[in-house]
Amino acid sequence: MGGATRIPLSQTAALPQLPTVRVPLPAAIPLCLAVVAGTWWYGSRQLDFLTPPTPAELDAVRSRVESSLPPMEQPEDAVSAPPEARPEPPPPPPEPPKPVIDPGDLSLPPTLDDYHDLAAKGADHLIDLAVLLETEGEHQRALLAWERVLDAGKPDDAQAAAAIAAIKRLRPTLPAWNPDPSKAIPVVLHAGTGKKTARVLKPMLEETARELESASAGILRITTAVTTGKSGAKTSAPPPVALWLAGSAKDAPSSDVLSFTVESEESLHEVVRKTTFQIIRSYLARIASPAAPREMPEGTSALDALHSRITRRSWRELGTRLNAAPGKTD
């Protein structure tokens, strides 16, 4: 078999002996130091240990070190772990449930006094009721509920504005409350002025009477009466016009008298409407129920105010009070 030849231990004595070289200790130490120094000098003679590295060299070293490092292993849930969640504020308390709105017995015919008994619950309740009735297609009853907001619910400005807007929307879609003129309450629209102004005023007063009948939904039947005064001293100023409302009887109650001066024939009709609205509002404010209509803002059409700010129940109250027997008024 091939391989190394083993020499018996007994035959090693016959092998030639090499001479032993001994280096003196004083010489060995310098030789070792010379070898180490020579090796260090040869390997580092071209290196500069005094000049600091440039930023580019540092970046290069940093890149080499980072590329030589193994990628750090992240725990399995490190990626999916959500950030530390902040405590959520407590949810707001639930709103108390709104009371159930009872629309009443819808099989009964509506009346002008409907929902007046609910006025103590406030305008908000009446508005919720009106919205419910309108949603269910009960437009006549919804209009009555909206009217109760104005004349019984003591609304604030926003609630009153919502009621007036609803009345404007619903009134044109419904028939007159009283379609029979023979059952209307008679009321007289009076005017007093000079003879010349009376000729111009009379046709406008008649037209205003028809507008009042329409605004009352047929509840009132309005006639007119113009009284002319005696001619006084000649003057260039137009004579004033006095307006008031009264019942049909000779000694029937009457409203306050409001006067104005005719500035131009073109504006006369609108002035008559505005003055009539103020007369009605003032009269209703003096009686206990219903409440006075809301004031007419500047720039509002007086005809619009007559139709939307005076409820049908208020028109009936106006006619009834003006035709009350003496001693039974306010």
Side-chain angles (χ1 to χ4, degrees):
M1 294 180 63
T5 304
R6 294 186 179 182
I7 301 175
L9 185 60
S10 58
Q11 298 180 6
T12 57
L15 295 176
Q17 297 293 323
L18 296 177
T20 301
V21 180
R22 294 180 177 272
V23 179
L25 184 59
I29 293 175
L31 287 174
C32 290
L33 294 177
V35 171
V36 172
T39 304
W40 181 84
W41 176 83
Y42 181 80
S44 62
R45 69 183 188 277
Q46 296 179 350
L47 300 179
D48 185 2
F49 293 98
L50 299 178
T51 304
T54 63
E57 291 173 340
L58 290 174
D59 290 339
V61 172
R62 189 179 297 109
S63 299
R64 288 198 302 271
V65 173
E66 290 178 354
S67 62
S68 64
L69 295 176
M72 296 181 63
E73 294 185 0
Q74 298 181 353
E76 294 181 359
D77 59 346
V79 177
S80 59
E84 183 180 356
R86 296 182 179 178
E88 296 183 359
E95 294 184 1
K98 288 188 176 182
V100 178
I101 303 297
D102 181 13
D105 189 353
L106 301 181
S107 64
L108 298 176
T111 70
L112 288 178
D113 292 316
D114 279 354
Y115 313 121
H116 184 261
D117 57 331
L118 300 177
K121 295 186 177 182
D124 280 336
H125 182 83
L126 291 169
I127 290 173
D128 291 340
L129 173 62
V131 172
L132 173 63
L133 292 169
E134 193 169 350
T135 302
E136 295 183 355
E138 295 286 343
H139 292 170
Q140 185 68 266
R141 297 178 190 275
L143 178 57
L144 289 167
W146 282 117
E147 288 179 324
R148 292 299 80 76
V149 175
L150 284 185
D151 63 25
K154 298 180 180 179
D156 58 26
D157 290 343
Q159 292 166 335
I164 291 171
I167 291 171
K168 289 181 181 180
R169 183 178 66 252
L170 292 174
R171 274 288 300 268
T173 68
L174 299 173
W177 182 263
N178 174 40
D180 186 358
S182 65
K183 297 180 180 180
I185 304 172
V187 172
V188 182
L189 176 60
H190 291 271
T193 188
K195 290 183 179 180
K196 184 178 179 180
T197 305
R199 288 192 295 269
V200 178
L201 178 64
K202 189 172 183 179
M204 294 183 182
L205 208 64
E206 291 285 349
E207 188 174 350
T208 302
R210 304 289 76 77
E211 293 168 348
L212 293 175
E213 289 178 345
S214 175
S216 73
I219 294 170
L220 301 184
R221 176 169 53 84
I222 311 293
T223 55
T224 62
V226 180
T227 304
T228 57
K230 295 181 180 180
S231 300
K234 292 184 178 181
T235 175
S236 58
V241 176
L243 289 181
W244 70 96
L245 291 167
S248 59
K250 185 176 181 180
D251 55 350
S254 66
S255 68
D256 295 334
V257 178
L258 293 185
S259 300
F260 61 90
T261 302
V262 180
E263 300 294 339
S264 67
E265 293 185 13
E266 291 76 15
S267 63
L268 178 59
H269 194 183
E270 181 65 10
V271 174
V272 170
R273 289 169 176 158
K274 287 184 177 181
T275 306
T276 304
F277 176 83
Q278 295 299 336
I279 290 172
I280 295 171
R281 184 174 183 274
S282 174
Y283 186 78
L284 291 174
R286 288 198 287 114
I287 61 180
S289 177
R294 305 287 289 195
E295 182 62 83
M296 183 173 58
E298 189 68 28
T300 303
S301 163
L303 185 60
D304 178 80
L306 289 167
H307 277 266
S308 61
R309 293 175 178 264
I310 304 175
T311 67
R312 294 169 295 175
R313 182 168 172 266
S314 296
W315 286 112
R316 185 195 64 182
E317 191 76 7
L318 173 70
T320 302
R321 293 297 187 104
L322 290 177
N323 284 278
K328 293 186 179 181
T329 58
D330 9 298

